[in-house]
Amino acid sequence: MTNREIGSTLSLKEAFSEHFLIGAAVNPRTITAQEKLLAHHYNRPFCRCLSLSRMV
């Protein structure tokens, strides 16, 4: 998806905003490489490299 296409489409977070937050489990490389796409579609990017025990 190009930057132009990203900005012109309805985001997932907008489409489902009345129902729930949209999140993504991604690795650090994806966060860097897909920053605009993640910011457009997701409320909460989550770095998968974190251990689950730290989240509890």
Side-chain angles (χ1 to χ4, degrees), residues 1-19:
M1 195 173 238
T2 66
N3 287 342
R4 183 176 178 193
E5 291 171 322
I6 291 170
S8 65
T9 60
L10 180 64
S11 71
L12 292 171
K13 66 183 178 186
E14 292 169 326
F16 295 103
S17 65
E18 294 184 26
H19 305 286

Side-chain angles (χ1 to χ4, degrees), residues 12-45:
L12 292 171
K13 66 183 178 186
E14 292 169 326
F16 295 103
S17 65
E18 294 184 26
H19 305 286
F20 47 82
L21 296 174
I22 302 292
V26 295
N27 63 40
R29 180 181 287 178
T30 303
I31 290 173
T32 303
Q34 300 297 325
E35 181 178 4
K36 289 183 181 182
L37 179 74
L38 292 168
H40 180 70
H41 283 292
Y42 301 100
N43 299 101
R44 308 249 169 122

